[in-house]
Amino acid sequence: MIPALPEPWALSRRRIQIIITIVKALPSDGEPAEPACNRDLIREIREMADRQGVLILAHNYQSPEIYQIAERIGDSLELARAAQETDAETILFCGVDFMADTAKILNPQARVLIPDPQARCTMAHMAGEQAAMKLREQYPDAEVVSYVNTTTATKAVSDICCTSANAIEIVESVESDQVIFLPDRNLAAYVSRFTRKEIIPAAGFCYVHDAITRESVDAMQKLHPEAAFVAHPECRPEIIDMADAVCSTGGMARFCRDASASSFIIGTESGMLNRLRTEVVGKKFFSVAGVCAPMKQVTLEKIKTCLTTGSGEVLLDQNLMDAVRGPLERMIEVSKSMKSRSCRTREEIRKGL
């Protein structure tokens, strides 16, 4: 039963979002429904991939049926490492454009395929290389840290890259006391809590995380007062302040598995619940975020076409790849040496630890 709503209930955008949040939460008390997918097609794709020696990688935000054909599911950092380390001749990347580009740059000998080349991360295209160069002119002593959620051209004019799992450690690793941070203003604000360096943010944002509001989180917490709230670092600062823990998507799975709580409100793209329900058995999860439309452009049918025809191959200029490989490899090396912490609790965030 939906709880009584306060009066007057004007149909503002935020309040409509709260209604949607409540409706989304109600069915989640039971076991998740079996994904509506074509089992014969899944079996056919797996057989094709095995026969061709194709490594299929899938981001956490992919649909449940994509999980079933992937050999590795993870966040950006986990998948970047998998792409770099594999000896497979072909990598099929179920994700958005910058992820497939990253795989090709880190493993240039491999053929990299993306089922839908038009699956473009909107945030990655909000602050491009021109924005980076302009900020460099304004802050000549600053180093540029680019989130992996940027275009390849933006990475090429950066000093080092980062992911949400290692952004704090990456910023601390650079020598300059000034850091230009591209493109996510919210992740930049989160990182600034843990460093004395001056963070100079760009104006980009993830539309899914930026749309999470205090009102929608409050509404979900009233429905599930016993649940811990886990937010993604791409959320707005006021949402970070509400969280019991802030984690990258990879960190969320580990945190929820180890935490004493039995239910969780998840502040990241709703597809993450599919991985959590699969890996963290016996606990309940409720979404407070929307859907990343570009991520959902990847379908089983497109994957089959990709494997059948070889379409969607990632082709990048060699000089551009050479320019980007350094910032990406530096990111991976720093992550290995500094043991990135992909999750922080409320107490650690308040203390800046």
Side-chain angles (χ1 to χ4, degrees):
M1 178 177 178
I2 297 178
L5 300 176
E7 296 292 339
W9 190 257
L11 291 180
S12 67
R13 179 176 177 272
R14 285 190 172 186
R15 286 175 172 174
I16 289 173
Q17 183 183 26
I18 296 171
I19 295 174
I20 294 171
T21 298
I22 292 172
V23 172
K24 285 168 63 180
L26 293 178
S28 301
D29 289 327
E31 291 300 317
E34 185 70 21
C37 56
N38 188 322
R39 291 183 177 82
D40 291 337
L41 182 55
I42 288 173
R43 183 163 50 250
E44 183 180 4
I45 289 172
R46 272 294 355 139
E47 290 173 354
M48 292 175 68
D50 292 341
R51 187 166 58 249
Q52 297 178 27
V54 176
L55 172 66
I56 300 180
L57 303 177
H59 191 269
N60 290 317
Y61 296 160
Q62 290 292 297
S63 301
E65 60 268 26
I66 307 300
Y67 283 9
Q68 297 184 50
I69 55 95
E71 293 178 58
R72 183 74 180 270
I73 303 164
D75 60 22
S76 297
L77 181 58
E78 293 166 337
L79 297 179
R81 286 175 173 169
Q84 183 185 45
E85 295 167 0
T86 185
D87 57 2
E89 294 184 359
T90 301
I91 300 169
L92 192 152
F93 210 115
C94 300
V96 290
D97 53 353
F98 74 83
M99 297 178 177
D101 286 359
T102 297
K104 179 64 178 178
I105 293 162
L106 290 174
N107 194 338
Q109 290 75 33
R111 181 179 65 151
V112 177
L113 307 176
I114 182 170
D116 189 338
Q118 298 306 310
R120 303 175 66 188
C121 171
T122 56
M123 177 170 63
H125 296 271
M126 286 183 182
E129 67 274 22
Q130 294 302 317
M133 295 303 294
K134 186 175 181 179
L135 286 169
R136 272 194 183 277
E137 291 176 2
Q138 294 176 343
Y139 302 93
D141 295 329
E143 293 186 67
V144 177
V145 175
S146 284
Y147 199 13
V148 291
N149 302 44
T150 50
T151 65
T152 300
T154 304
K155 293 182 180 72
V157 295
S158 305
D159 294 293
I160 191 168
C161 295
C162 74
T163 71
S164 60
N166 64 19
I168 296 166
E169 289 80 9
I170 294 295
V171 166
E172 284 294 281
S173 74
V174 303
E175 293 184 3
S176 176
D177 289 330
Q178 286 186 321
V179 175
I180 297 167
F181 195 97
L182 302 165
D184 187 2
R185 66 192 184 197
N186 290 329
L187 182 57
Y190 178 71
V191 171
S192 68
R193 297 171 182 247
F194 302 92
T195 181
R196 294 183 178 180
K197 296 178 185 289
E198 179 186 0
I199 305 297
I200 303 157
F205 60 91
C206 167
Y207 76 88
V208 174
H209 292 105
D210 198 64
I212 299 173
T213 64
R214 292 185 62 90
E215 291 89 344
S216 59
V217 176
D218 282 337
M220 189 68 83
Q221 288 179 325
K222 288 176 182 176
L223 281 172
H224 305 286
E226 77 291 346
F229 175 41
V230 185
H232 192 277
E234 290 178 17
C235 291
R236 294 184 179 192
E238 61 266 28
I239 305 304
I240 298 296
D241 291 336
M242 299 177 72
D244 295 293
V246 176
C247 310
S248 68
T249 52
M252 283 182 182
R254 292 185 288 273
F255 176 82
C256 294
R257 185 170 51 246
D258 297 339
S260 59
S262 60
S263 59
F264 301 86
I265 297 166
I266 301 300
T268 194
E269 206 268 357
S270 57
M272 184 63 193
L273 267 65
N274 299 315
R275 179 181 176 185
L276 292 172
R277 287 169 173 162
T278 299
E279 295 187 8
V280 189
V281 180
K283 296 188 177 184
K284 295 181 180 180
F285 300 92
F286 310 99
S287 176
V288 74
V291 172
C292 175
M295 280 286 186
K296 301 305 190 284
Q297 288 179 220
V298 176
T299 65
L300 291 174
E301 291 76 14
K302 290 177 182 178
I303 292 169
K304 180 182 176 181
T305 298
C306 197
L307 289 170
T308 302
T309 67
S311 61
E313 182 173 359
V314 175
L315 300 173
L316 298 172
D317 177 79
Q318 186 62 52
N319 291 332
L320 183 62
M321 287 200 296
D322 292 342
V324 176
R325 191 170 299 112
L328 283 170
E329 289 180 342
R330 282 194 288 276
M331 171 191 75
I332 292 175
E333 288 305 310
V334 170
S335 295
K336 289 178 180 178
S337 63
M338 296 186 71
K339 294 188 68 173
S340 302
R341 294 177 56 202
S342 58
C343 204
R344 282 173 168 80
T345 65
R346 176 182 293 179
E347 291 74 20
E348 290 172 325
I349 292 170
R350 285 176 175 173
K351 294 178 182 178
L353 298 176

